[in-house]
Amino acid sequence: MRNLIAGEARKALTGRAWWSLPLAGAWLCLITTFGYVSGGEKAIAAGSTSLAVGQDVARSWMMMFLLAGVFGAVHVTRDYASGTMVRSALLAGSRSRLFGAKLAVATAAGAAFGLVAAALGAVSVYLGPLPFGLEAAADGETALILLGVFACCTLAAPWGALIGWIVRNQTGAVATLIGLTLLVDPGLQRLVPGVAKYLLTIAMSSVYRDVKPDLLSLPWAYAVIAAWLVAALVAGRHLVRTRDIA
């Protein structure tokens, strides 16, 4: 199994996805960071604080979890897109072993995305406000936000991989992740916040300590995320074992 995981890790590092997706995520997060720090003076004048601006900057790096999920989906579906899934399963020894190896590699990649996001988020908290004449400020809550960003990225990548196993089409899997994260879940949160807080991406809001109302407590958020991952794991594994993978 160790050699199989090493082989899947090597696959994950081929092509452009391993560097282009975190780069795109960092760019999106930096744009959001710029928005917070450029409007920081006005926010402070309206009653906010330098510490609150720094926490918003740290929280803006949560967007990296979407790209971690896309990476997980691409890592699975590109074998379908290239027509090599059957060969991969044969070399792995079984479909279940391939399923487990890809999931392990996706989780490790998610942790790497999380480390990048947390590290760049910390740098942004301390350096972002300076060009705008603001005081850089951070506290224990800022550290917990960055820890939550790391956790969300680590959990989002296997979620993306499982969506990839279920949908099997690269465009379809990526569109599903983007649609759920940017359209469906936020839309339902506006319409029915009492129900939407049990959706996976909304539950992640509690993990990176968003300040929106109607969010779950942290233990319940982790329980909900675990439930979604287990449901997707059961569905994905069943489909892999019972459907034609050609």
Side-chain angles (χ1 to χ4, degrees):
M1 190 66 180
R2 186 175 59 183
N3 291 337
L4 178 57
I5 292 176
E8 286 298 323
R10 191 165 182 173
K11 278 187 193 175
L13 293 175
T14 59
R16 293 178 297 179
W18 70 272
W19 60 265
S20 61
L21 289 175
L23 189 63
W27 175 249
L28 290 174
C29 296
L30 284 172
I31 291 175
T32 309
T33 293
F34 177 79
Y36 281 122
V37 294
S38 63
E41 187 175 2
K42 186 181 293 184
I44 292 172
S48 185
T49 64
S50 297
L51 184 59
V53 173
Q55 291 173 354
D56 285 338
V57 168
R59 208 171 278 119
S60 69
W61 285 82
M62 64 83 185
M63 295 176 67
M64 188 70 87
F65 85 70
L66 173 60
L67 282 302
V70 170
F71 182 89
V74 169
H75 181 59
V76 170
T77 55
R78 70 178 176 182
D79 273 13
Y80 284 111
S82 62
T84 58
M85 184 57 83
V86 173
R87 190 186 312 163
S88 296
L90 289 173
L91 291 173
S94 73
R95 298 180 184 190
S96 295
R97 280 168 54 85
L98 181 63
F99 181 85
K102 284 190 177 293
L103 202 56
V105 170
T107 304
F113 272 72
L115 287 174
V116 170
L120 293 180
V123 171
S124 298
V125 168
Y126 284 102
L127 299 184
L130 301 183
F132 297 90
L134 302 176
E135 178 187 0
D139 62 356
E141 177 67 13
T142 311
L144 290 175
I145 291 169
L146 292 173
L147 183 62
V149 168
F150 168 78
C152 287
C153 291
T154 306
L155 294 168
W159 168 250
L162 292 168
I163 293 294
W165 279 116
I166 294 170
V167 177
R168 308 207 310 176
N169 176 274
Q170 191 165 98
T171 302
V174 172
T176 298
L177 286 170
I178 293 175
L180 288 174
T181 305
L182 300 182
L183 296 175
V184 177
D185 291 5
L188 289 174
Q189 190 182 28
R190 285 174 178 267
L191 295 173
V192 281
V195 176
K197 63 185 178 183
Y198 295 102
L199 300 173
L200 182 136
T201 61
I202 305 303
M204 284 184 174
S205 302
S206 301
V207 176
Y208 62 79
R209 306 176 80 81
D210 204 331
V211 293
K212 291 177 183 173
D214 300 315
L215 294 179
L216 296 170
S217 64
L218 192 58
W220 275 108
Y222 274 116
V224 167
I225 293 168
W228 278 102
L229 288 174
V230 169
L233 178 71
V234 172
R237 193 166 185 271
H238 174 73
L239 292 173
V240 167
R241 295 179 65 183
T242 57
R243 292 170 68 185
D244 186 1
I245 61 171

